Amino acid sequence: MTLDFMEADDRLNREYLNGVHQLKGDEMGRWCAWERMERGDAYYHGLPVAIDFLPRIFSPGARSYFAETARTTYRILCKVIARYKDDPDFRGLFRFDPRVRELLLIPSGYEEPLPMARFDMLYSQELGRFMFCEFNTDASSGMLENSESAAAVAESEAFWEFSQRHPLATRCEEQYEGWVRRFTELFVTTDLFAERSAEGRPPHVAIAVCLESPNPDVRELEAFQELFDDLGWECSICDVRAFEMRGGRLVASEALSGVAGQPIDAVWRFCVVVDLLKYWDEVQPFIQAARTGAVELIGAFSTQIAHDKQLFALMRRPEVLALLTPEEQAFVAERIPFTAFLDDPELDLQEVRAHPADWVLKPTDWYATKNVTVGSECTPEHWNALIDELLAATDGSPYLVQRFVAPSESAAIPLYGLEADFTAPPRPYGNLFGLYCQCGTFAGVYVRQGPHDVIGSAREGLVAPVFWSLADGE
């Protein structure tokens, strides 16, 4: 796969930025965009999600490249999941908590191994290629941020003028309608669907979450809830700790949105495994329902094999490479940065200690960049003390060390809601690209940006609206 499309993409984005310059920064457009975010549903910690006033515009060539990347990644991960389930010796490569090992082998009633995923990657200008930083599965998010940020910048004069010359589309329906369609298609193939259909009532889907806030914001998921309702299915959003087993059926004692107390047939497991372990005793009704087949999980616990970051430390192992075609092996060699367990005896730990700017420390399973440390942000003393602390930890949670990949930068006009944002000049921000994949089909791109080496919401991160150029040859 070549990167020939990048010249066309750069031209489109430079032209857009030039249009903003000609409008003297389009201050009014920035205000309109931010006011639209305030009216919208994409919020983080009680505030509108920060956005880039400059969208990322991708050409048809970029779409083809991203789609092929997503398909190849999907094929590789499906092979790994299948071998893990079939081969006890292969399972020995992974360092999963004993509770997780048991969950991963719970069978599902459908054949699809990886219903939903988002493959996050950075473009390395030094290496001249995209490099993966993590894979996310069932709780892949950002879809509401995508659609709301696109709607916000579309109200600006800069966008209107550019779109008169270059027809654009968001294609957000791929993430919304596409996922609901694939979810329902998977469930209707199961024996449980046939059994429950005989009861003469519409299926009841629960979107299971585990949110720490006393007043959790579930607006992103309510957009999916409405689509299930439009199909005539019932859909509720429930905290996984509120589930109970009654008469052999899973119900929720209360719902964050939708109905409580009604039998649940299928669950979209939006809660990640690390949160299930944190609240293990409280989530046992949910675990029991999965074990006994009282509900169908989409996706199954086995998607954790792809989601857990330790897979990056195993991708170059002979046992994994043996599953892959020569083309897939080359793909892994080019796209997966060197990664190792911090306590791997074959790791050159002195090299890691001596050159912190070249490395990142990260837990095998967490989210929102929690507990991720970039060596370039540490003093040598702090870096080595942190390594010592992690090596001495006895909680059984392994840490990884990964070769640092500097994110490519592009011009950004951050809107955080501050007065200065509406007249500030563009400044360089790093980019992270997330490729959505549903049952092996590419479903769009999520672009997160930030001013630091680690890009995330907690580190002044923001979302760049994504648009696709519809013109031939672009």
Side-chain angles (χ1 to χ4, degrees), residues 83 90 93 313-324 329 346:
R83 178 56 61 91
F90 189 80
L93 297 175
L314 304 174
M315 289 293 277
R316 289 190 175 86
R317 291 286 297 266
E319 297 92 336
V320 174
L321 293 176
L323 308 176
L324 310 181
Q329 292 176 4
E346 297 183 7

Side-chain angles (χ1 to χ4, degrees), residues 6-16 162 166 473-474:
M6 294 184 69
E7 183 177 348
D9 286 20
D10 288 344
R11 177 173 57 80
L12 288 168
N13 287 282
R14 285 197 305 269
E15 182 181 338
Y16 194 102
F162 184 89
H166 303 283
E474 292 187 340

Side-chain angles (χ1 to χ4, degrees), residues 207 221-230 235-237 257-258:
I207 305 175
L221 298 176
E222 285 177 334
F224 293 97
Q225 183 183 28
E226 292 176 5
L227 291 172
F228 280 112
D229 291 342
D230 291 344
C235 182
S236 304
I237 303 170
S257 183

Side-chain angles (χ1 to χ4, degrees), residues 261-315:
Q262 299 298 314
I264 296 166
D265 305 307
V267 173
W268 171 9
R269 186 177 59 81
F270 199 79
C271 52
V272 294
V273 168
V274 68
D275 281 334
L276 296 180
L277 295 179
K278 182 177 180 179
Y279 297 102
W280 185 249
D281 292 339
E282 298 173 63
V283 303
Q284 284 310 297
F286 174 61
I287 301 300
Q288 180 185 354
R291 285 193 184 113
T292 61
V295 294
E296 194 68 60
L297 297 189
I298 302 175
F301 287 120
S302 55
T303 64
Q304 180 70 10
I305 300 163
H307 179 87
D308 195 295
K309 297 178 184 66
Q310 67 181 284
L311 180 58
F312 277 62
L314 304 174
M315 289 293 277

Side-chain angles (χ1 to χ4, degrees), residues 338-472:
F338 174 85
T339 309
F341 290 106
L342 185 59
D343 61 357
D344 187 335
E346 297 183 7
L347 173 68
D348 186 348
L349 193 56
Q350 289 306 115
E351 167 72 15
V352 175
R353 289 182 180 276
H355 299 95
D358 294 339
W359 301 96
V360 182
L361 290 169
K362 57 176 65 176
T364 58
D365 189 18
W366 212 260
Y367 50 87
T369 70
K370 291 180 180 178
N371 302 324
V372 174
T373 303
V374 178
S376 61
E377 298 179 349
C378 299
T379 65
E381 294 77 17
H382 177 227
W383 178 250
N384 280 280
L386 180 59
I387 290 174
D388 291 338
E389 177 186 337
L390 296 175
L391 288 173
T394 58
D395 61 1
S397 178
Y399 256 73
L400 302 173
V401 60
Q402 187 174 81
R403 179 73 67 176
F404 173 67
V405 178
S408 62
E409 293 184 337
S410 62
I413 299 179
L415 298 182
Y416 297 104
L418 304 175
E419 185 75 25
D421 294 346
F422 305 103
T423 56
R427 47 181 164 150
Y429 264 42
N431 292 267
L432 180 148
F433 305 86
L435 308 184
Y436 291 109
C437 185
Q438 299 169 356
C439 299
T441 299
F442 175 63
V445 175
Y446 174 67
V447 178
R448 179 161 285 283
Q449 300 175 316
H452 306 293
D453 286 335
V454 175
I455 299 172
S457 299
R459 300 177 184 236
E460 300 180 86
L462 47 81
V463 175
V466 169
F467 288 91
W468 301 94
S469 171
L470 301 179
D472 290 338

Side-chain angles (χ1 to χ4, degrees), residues 162-179:
F162 184 89
S163 62
Q164 300 308 297
R165 300 187 302 275
H166 303 283
L168 301 172
T170 65
R171 305 185 75 150
C172 290
E173 70 280 357
E174 295 177 322
Q175 290 138 41
Y176 287 93
E177 288 89 342
W179 171 238

